[in-house]
Amino acid sequence: MIEGLSESQVNEILSSNSFLERYQSYEKEVNIDKLKNFFDDIETNKNYFRLNIKKSRKYINRNNDTDVIKNINSNINKCTDTNYSEIIKLIINDINQNEHLLSFVIESILEKSIIQPTFVHNYVKILNEINSHKNILRILNNTLNKYYTFIFDKSIDKSDNFYDNLCNENKRTDNMIGYLMLITYLDKEKIICDRINKLIKNIMNDILEKDNDEIYKLLNCLLNIGIISTDYINEHMVVLKRLKDKKYNSKVRCKIMDIEDLYK
């Protein structure tokens, strides 16, 4: 809040004709999209909802952001196929009243989608509904780009401990699978398109050189993608069939057979 002015006085200034006219002139002089992208790229404070600093009553958070974020996250976590219609109304209502938290909410949903891919279809339905009320495509694309870089491009720090290295590799594979399933559902719902094919090619590039456990995880992911639509995996079937070679274990070979069954 501007020092010396009440909330109603600030709102009155922001809605005045003189302010709106000057702001419109300002918009013509600057690249608003570039400015928005700059703010969207600022790292979100993941612990924002835990902040509870109260130096004096003058600094109390009058917008109650902490409680709103907790409430939205709680509703996202409770969302199921059966209660979706009821929960989404609560989420949209909170967002409409607290639009300044939109980027935080979108990032939170995308993180949950990657970490908990079992529920990704519900998370994407929530994103789709939010997008029908607020245009979140810019926020989505920027955040997806950031996560892609972190998951696929960022090299893993190696240690002398074999177990630590294995855990890091497994976590990275799990995150790749979560990201892949997220992009698949975003494509299926026509929210974010033109990403999935390049992403699958990225994963298929070295799948033949990976160890059996990692291959099995990726094949399970590709099977789930194929269940959504075999169009996503058609061009990769030649390479996948090479995994039926006996140098790969029986789990891998059986999973290839499950993928082939999708075409029967």
Side-chain angles (χ1 to χ4, degrees):
M1 192 59 61
I2 300 175
E3 189 173 354
L5 295 177
S6 67
E7 183 175 349
S8 60
Q9 287 175 316
V10 172
N11 288 334
E12 185 178 345
I13 291 173
L14 294 178
S15 60
S16 67
N17 289 333
S18 59
F19 174 83
L20 293 175
E21 288 174 2
R22 292 174 66 183
Y23 182 73
Q24 287 173 355
S25 298
Y26 168 77
E27 281 187 312
K28 295 176 182 178
E29 297 173 2
V30 298
N31 188 330
I32 295 297
D33 287 336
K34 186 176 181 180
L35 185 61
K36 287 178 178 178
N37 284 332
F38 168 78
F39 285 120
D40 286 341
D41 285 341
I42 295 175
E43 191 70 26
T44 305
N45 180 4
K46 298 293 191 306
N47 294 318
Y48 177 67
F49 67 94
R50 295 190 181 95
L51 299 182
N52 195 24
I53 301 171
K54 294 184 178 180
K55 296 179 181 178
S56 71
R57 294 189 62 85
K58 180 179 179 181
Y59 295 100
I60 290 178
N61 183 355
R62 301 180 187 276
N63 289 323
N64 206 20
D65 288 352
T66 302
D67 289 339
V68 172
I69 291 171
K70 285 182 178 179
N71 191 50
I72 292 175
N73 273 327
S74 174
N75 284 327
I76 292 170
N77 290 335
K78 289 188 290 187
C79 187
T80 66
D81 291 329
T82 54
N83 67 8
Y84 170 79
S85 297
E86 174 188 347
I87 292 293
I88 192 61
K89 289 178 183 177
L90 299 175
I91 295 172
I92 294 297
N93 183 60
D94 279 336
I95 289 175
N96 285 337
Q97 295 182 33
N98 302 274
E99 193 170 346
H100 59 290
L101 299 177
L102 185 59
S103 291
F104 186 95
V105 173
I106 299 308
E107 189 165 332
S108 177
I109 296 173
L110 292 177
E111 278 193 7
K112 292 178 191 293
S113 299
I114 294 170
I115 297 171
Q116 303 167 359
T118 304
F119 308 105
V120 65
H121 63 290
N122 282 328
Y123 297 140
V124 170
K125 283 167 67 178
I126 294 173
L127 290 171
N128 203 9
E129 187 66 26
I130 294 174
N131 192 50
S132 70
H133 291 78
K134 311 280 184 186
N135 187 341
I136 61 171
L137 295 183
R138 189 188 72 256
I139 300 173
L140 273 178
N141 277 303
N142 287 347
T143 309
L144 287 170
N145 288 339
K146 179 173 67 176
Y147 286 156
Y148 179 89
T149 299
F150 180 78
I151 295 170
F152 291 89
D153 292 345
K154 191 175 181 180
S155 60
I156 298 175
D157 295 330
K158 298 289 184 180
S159 72
D160 294 331
N161 187 306
F162 172 79
Y163 180 75
D164 287 344
N165 289 333
L166 183 62
C167 288
N168 288 334
E169 289 287 353
N170 286 339
K171 183 177 180 182
R172 182 175 187 177
T173 300
D174 289 342
N175 286 336
M176 285 181 179
I177 291 169
Y179 189 92
L180 190 56
M181 292 306 300
L182 169 61
I183 296 298
T184 303
Y185 274 97
L186 288 172
D187 186 88
K188 175 177 177 284
E189 298 298 329
K190 302 188 186 308
I191 303 173
I192 299 288
C193 301
D194 303 325
R195 281 180 181 254
I196 183 61
N197 292 329
K198 181 180 178 182
L199 194 54
I200 294 178
K201 284 180 181 178
N202 186 320
I203 285 184
M204 290 296 299
N205 276 341
D206 60 348
I207 193 169
L208 298 175
E209 282 71 49
K210 296 182 181 296
D211 64 62
N212 281 290
D213 288 340
E214 195 171 356
I215 292 172
Y216 180 80
K217 283 184 178 182
L218 292 173
L219 290 179
N220 204 43
C221 176
L222 291 171
L223 174 64
N224 289 327
I225 291 173
I227 290 172
I228 296 171
S229 174
T230 54
D231 289 344
Y232 292 124
I233 61 174
N234 281 340
E235 66 179 277
H236 305 289
M237 287 306 299
V238 173
V239 174
L240 289 174
K241 287 179 180 180
R242 291 173 61 186
L243 291 168
K244 292 170 71 175
D245 189 289
K246 288 186 178 179
K247 71 178 181 179
Y248 302 104
N249 68 22
S250 58
K251 283 175 58 179
V252 168
R253 297 199 304 271
C254 287
K255 190 57 67 176
I256 291 296
M257 293 170 65
D258 289 340
I259 294 175
E260 287 179 320
D261 285 344
L262 296 175
Y263 292 88
K264 292 181 179 178

